[in-house]
């Protein structure tokens, strides 16, 4: 089956409800407990300050079907601004139709257009299809372990 057409736009406040719907769906699907208030606070923070990053909303046939979130960072390793692809999500019933690949390319293009020198991301080991998507688009694995500490 041919890939469905996809339009990707930088989201604004008018898209808040759709962003929350899609992101909440992703976290629910992945069984990541993110309280609605915390998610809304994070989305509002990105929408209020473009220096933090961008939420990209994907449309097919006039309906929102996916979302990507790029946060911006300034890194020593790359010598400047990079984009961290924190989220990339396509509604489950529309997967395997080429939308994820198109959304990823749009995210990379957006990062390049705002002066980013690299795009970094992480893939959960339990999601090999996602890892394959990223590798097909030229992402290379890093031999690292990610650690975190809540404050």
């Amino acid at each position: 089956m041919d890939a469905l057409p996809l339009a990707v736009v930088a989201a604004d406040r008018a898209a808040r409800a759709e962003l929350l719907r899609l992101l909440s769906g992703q976290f629910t699907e992945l069984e990541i407990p993110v309280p609605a208030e915390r998610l809304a606070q994070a989305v509002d923070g990105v929408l209020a300050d473009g220096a933090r990053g961008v939420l990209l909303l994907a449309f097919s046939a006039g309906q929102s079907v996916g979302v990507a979130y790029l946060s911006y960072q300034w890194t020593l390793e790359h010598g400047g601004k990079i984009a961290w692809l924190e989220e990339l999500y396509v509604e489950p019933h529309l997967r395997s139709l080429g939308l994820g690949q198109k959304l990823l390319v749009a995210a990379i293009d957006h990062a390049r257009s705002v002066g980013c020198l690299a795009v970094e991301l992480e893939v959960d080991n339990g999601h090999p299809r996602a890892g394959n998507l990223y590798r097909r688009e030229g992402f290379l694995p890093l031999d690292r372990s990610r650690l975190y500490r809540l404050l």
Side-chain angles (χ1 to χ4, degrees):
M1 172 183 261
D2 289 335
L4 294 173
L6 192 73
V8 179
V9 298
D12 59 17
R13 295 254 341 135
R16 182 180 186 270
E18 279 303 293
L19 293 167
L20 292 172
R21 180 185 70 78
L22 290 164
L23 291 165
S24 178
Q26 178 180 23
F27 291 131
T28 298
E29 180 182 335
L30 296 175
E31 299 179 355
I32 299 172
V34 178
E37 319 76 56
R38 185 184 312 157
L39 181 57
Q41 179 181 2
V43 166
D44 290 344
V46 174
L47 293 174
D49 185 353
R52 291 180 176 153
V54 65
L55 287 151
L56 300 173
L57 196 54
F59 293 89
S60 185
Q63 301 292 318
S64 58
V65 298
V67 63
Y69 172 49
L70 293 166
S71 66
Y72 303 139
Q73 301 176 18
W74 193 269
T75 69
L76 301 176
E77 180 179 356
H78 295 291
K81 183 179 179 178
I82 70 158
W84 176 265
L85 182 61
E86 187 169 332
E87 306 298 337
L88 188 127
Y89 178 73
V90 172
E91 291 191 295
H93 69 282
L94 294 171
R95 294 186 186 148
S96 300
L97 299 175
L99 299 179
Q101 186 267 340
K102 287 182 177 184
L103 180 53
L104 176 58
V105 168
I108 294 167
D109 289 346
H110 179 86
R112 186 180 293 114
S113 78
V114 296
C116 291
L117 301 170
V119 176
E120 291 191 5
L121 58 87
E122 69 179 16
V123 178
D124 187 287
N125 291 333
H127 297 97
R129 287 181 63 204
N132 290 336
L133 167 66
Y134 297 124
R135 280 188 282 285
R136 283 193 310 270
E137 290 303 319
F139 284 82
L140 302 171
L142 294 172
D143 188 23
R144 297 181 180 165
S145 295
R146 185 167 183 195
L147 307 173
Y148 76 98
R149 177 179 171 181
L150 295 177
L151 302 177

